[in-house]
Amino acid sequence: MAVETQMEDGKPVLEITGLEKRFGDVTALAGLDLQVFPGEVYGLLGPNGAGKSTLIGSILGLVRPNVGSIEVFGMDARQHRSKILRRTGAIIESPAFYPYLGGRDNLKVVARMIGDVPKGRIDEMLELVGLSGRGNDKVKTYSTGMKQRLGLASVLLGDPDLVILDEPTSGLDPAGALEFRKLIRAVATEQGNTVFVSSHLLMEVEQMCDRVGIVKLGKTVAEGRLEDLLQKGSAVSFRVDDAERALALMREKGLQAGSDDGDGMVWAEINEEDAGSLNTALVGAGLEVSLIEERRSDLESFFLEVTGDGEEARND
Amino acid sequence: MISLISAEMLKIRKRRASWIMFGILLAFLAFFLMGIRPIIAADDGRNSVEFQLANLVMRFPAGFGILVRMVSEMGQFILIVFAGLVVGSEYGWGTVRQVMARGASRNRYLAAKLAAILVSIVMGIILAMIVGTGFMLIGDVLVDSFDPKIPAGFAGDLAGDTLRTLGVLVVFAGLAFCIAILTRSVAGGLGLGLGWIFVEIICTGIFPLFGRIWRDISGYFLTNLSSSLMAANQLDVGQFFGDGGGGGDDGGPGGGGGRPVFDVEPLTAGLLLALYLVILLAISVWVFNRRDITAGG
């Protein structure tokens, strides 16, 4: 993928260091760090109340952090807010529009705010998101999916270098969500925009993103390429005739091990290269091994592992 | 900045509520300037005192006194609703966050909103004057009293009266603007804005019961300062009746158009209204800049 060559080679488009924000007694961000590189789709994953919307609000200058720094395009976000936002398009939570205006007029309002939007760009964006036939209809008649698509059109209107989307598929039906994810992916791959997406949907992040940051209680608890993060939790599974004995042997060797329910599968957290010697040890102990396979953890397991139960309820 | 103002104007122009409020004003103007005289003529005849009085104050160009007063006094209520909607709706729809996320500075955003409201007030007054003149002339034709003679100095008087009206309306728009920002809602902006006016009117009625000093204090309410400023109007209805058109020289509540006029000189009233406006806008800017813009505003 073309974007991969850009990722992590250049300076980060967005770099956040030690960000803290408190609302009264509630700590929304507690020293959050992350980096987003040019051309990638970065997924910010966290349970509800983890601080995702506060973080996005801070990046956009809507929320003033108490401590920490935010650099966008190498500029301090507080000092160069206007310059930064001229190169940024964002939807915070759900896209907001003037309901009494048509889709086209809403984009006209946005275009006047941004300034320097080329003639014809509005129609181009309506076409891109599949709303050219409904551009003159009032937004209050739009479905949630249409509003999300119009939101994306408004974000892309100024041809931003950085696109920030907060829970972009929230409220969409499965088909609409899938279509929207494809659209976001296309924005990065075809138009070359860097995309920063927050979501609490694991599957969504897994489908869309090149890199992921996981936040919990306002802190980044894991960050990296999706495949690297999943690799970190990798293990090898063995199907054996006596799971209990196999587990005891593995634990004797000091390995993290466990068993999947029922079918005699046991696993140990080892590299692929060590699978042979462990197999030899199991066979040497009189166990019959009928299957050996890599046991990659999925994002859900990884997420639960790094966030605990992941559902600490706090206001975002 | 110009593009921000034009975005605000687009939102105002395309909003039905803006036109409905303007339509309400026009409906009242039509009734008073065009409709009342034919009704009185039909009921009491053209030789009746009622008709003669009505024709005296409502015919062209004397009717400009009523026109200006109606624009000023009805405009206060309409502007509270209008400015409350223009500012408060942005919070209700969540669009204020999207606008801020587009890179507009908070001060520029507020300035653009204020400028758009000011342009709307000016355009509204001009349109009301033009349409009101039409109503007046049609009314004259309907009761056969059409006589388009314009007295000397009329244009200057009308310009002065209209400027005072503009000043009053801008202050009331500033009040709704400030309250909508403080409450972050349409309901708050409208409710507290209109409530403010009603409380002032009630207090103006009650305060004199507690003595002279309380009555004098009520003279510094927004609504009463507006009346004091408007008392300087040269085309006011009061000129036909000799009570209050000249600025409340009887030392007590008076005035020709319904609201009492206090001892505050028009110039002082104008300056105090300007001070009110500065304070209201300063509060708006300070609060808007200081607050985080989170979900729901």
Side-chain angles (χ1 to χ4, degrees), chain A residues 6 10 69 78 104 106 119 121 141 167-168 208 270 275 313:
Chain A
Q6 298 174 45
S69 77
R78 274 178 244 189
R104 183 172 276 105
N106 266 288
K119 223 177 176 182
R121 178 80 176 162
T141 66
E167 305 276 1
M208 275 194 306
I270 54 171

Side-chain angles (χ1 to χ4, degrees), chain B residues 136-184:
Chain B
M136 222 183 300
L137 292 172
I138 293 170
D140 285 352
V141 171
L142 291 176
V143 296
D144 297 323
S145 67
F146 182 63
D147 180 13
K149 262 188 253 161
I150 295 176
F154 171 79
D157 290 345
L158 181 61
D161 292 2
T162 307
L163 275 178
R164 277 185 282 275
T165 298
L166 175 64
V168 165
L169 294 185
V170 168
V171 176
F172 279 88
L175 174 68
F177 186 86
C178 180
I179 294 174
I181 284 176
L182 291 178
T183 59
R184 291 186 268 198

Side-chain angles (χ1 to χ4, degrees), chain A residues 162-238:
Chain A
L162 174 63
V163 174
I164 297 176
L165 304 169
D166 187 11
E167 305 276 1
T169 61
S170 144
L172 295 184
D173 60 35
L178 180 67
E179 188 191 348
F180 199 74
R181 278 181 217 122
K182 282 182 186 165
L183 202 54
I184 292 171
R185 193 65 244 184
V187 163
T189 51
E190 290 165 23
Q191 306 212 3
N193 306 85
T194 305
V195 182
F196 179 89
V197 188
S198 86
S199 179
H200 65 279
L201 301 175
L202 299 155
M203 182 258 298
E204 177 168 289
V205 169
E206 209 162 6
Q207 282 178 1
M208 275 194 306
C209 302
D210 303 304
R211 288 202 318 128
V212 178
I214 298 178
V215 286
K216 181 195 175 188
L217 297 172
K219 257 187 144 165
T220 320
V221 288
E223 191 189 28
R225 283 170 181 270
L226 208 49
E227 56 267 35
D228 294 342
L229 289 179
L230 297 183
Q231 197 65 45
K232 276 183 193 165
S234 71
V236 176
S237 292
F238 300 82

Side-chain angles (χ1 to χ4, degrees), chain A residues 231-232 234-236 255 268-278:
Chain A
Q231 197 65 45
K232 276 183 193 165
S234 71
V236 176
L255 298 174
E269 280 192 2
I270 54 171
N271 296 326
E272 274 178 51
E273 303 85 63
D274 299 325
S277 57
L278 182 58

